[in-house]
Every structure is written in structure tokens, then in C-alpha cells.
Amino acid sequence: QVQLVESGGGLVQAGGSLRLSCAVSGSIFSINGMGWYRQAPGKQRELVAAITRGGTTDYADSVKGRFTISRDNAKNTVYLQMNSLKPEDTAVYYCNAYTNRYNSWGQGTQVTVSS
């Protein structure tokens, strides 16, 4: 009963920035935390960043210091600010919401970083 819609992906040059958005609707009260995952071609999906209901954040080592996860409760939106982008950041990025009973996923948004 949680619906997620990602937006903000696109093509950017190395060193540039993008901000991804995840619009959340449905049973928002049941969400314990949110995460951003990414999946590159031929690779497994990996956790990039996460934020709990209380606001605690965590990041993959590969993006630490470059990416920031945040939320705007008034807009029911979670963001991923991506700075100093590298070609290896190229992937489909997915928004995830987890509750005590289930996980929900967005449709994904493509991020491509050119050299």
C-alpha cells in the first residue's frame, strides 16, 4: 500500500550533479525507513543510501561524501543529492520503502554519467 515514483535521472558529465526525487503515497504512516538502491548493467542491485523514520542516515562507502539522502515530510518526498558524479555511478536508481511487513519499490530512473 506504499507507492513510489522516482524522477530526476538523466545524462550528466563527470563531476556534475543530479538530484533524484522519490514521491511517496499510500500508507506512509507504516514506513520505517527509505532507501536508494542502484543497479548497473550486469551487476547486482546495491544499497546506496538509507534514512530511517527517525532521520538516521547511512551510505555506501563508494558514495560517502558525495551523495546525501534527505526528506521533505511536507511534500512526502525523499531526495538523493548526487555531487561529483563519476562514470561508475551510472545505473538505474530505485527508491525503496520498508515497513514491518513489506518492501515497496519504485519503477527506477536512469542515471548516466559520461566521461
Side-chain angles (χ1 to χ4, degrees):
Q1 295 184 199
V2 176
Q3 294 82 44
L4 309 173
V5 179
E6 302 99 331
S7 62
L11 176 63
V12 65
Q13 293 181 341
S17 298
L18 285 173
R19 187 173 74 163
L20 306 183
S21 298
C22 176
V24 186
S25 61
S27 301
I28 297 174
F29 65 91
S30 67
I31 297 174
N32 290 330
M34 303 283 297
W36 284 97
Y37 289 72
R38 68 186 180 188
Q39 188 166 24
K43 294 187 172 62
Q44 292 187 326
R45 189 172 297 187
E46 64 172 343
L47 177 66
V48 176
I51 185 167
T52 70
R53 193 174 188 88
T56 301
T57 59
D58 196 18
Y59 300 91
D61 288 340
S62 60
V63 308
K64 198 169 297 181
R66 300 187 297 120
F67 291 12
T68 303
I69 187 170
S70 63
R71 68 187 179 207
D72 186 334
N73 290 335
K75 296 182 178 180
N76 294 329
T77 302
V78 176
Y79 303 97
L80 184 67
Q81 179 67 46
M82 304 185 294
N83 298 326
S84 302
L85 282 162
K86 305 174 180 179
E88 51 261 45
D89 295 319
T90 295
V92 178
Y93 284 71
Y94 297 91
C95 186
N96 168 260
Y98 54 93
T99 72
N100 289 335
R101 304 182 70 179
Y102 57 87
N103 278 249
S104 298
W105 295 90
Q107 81 288 348
T109 185
Q110 176 71 48
V111 172
T112 302
V113 184
S114 62
S115 301

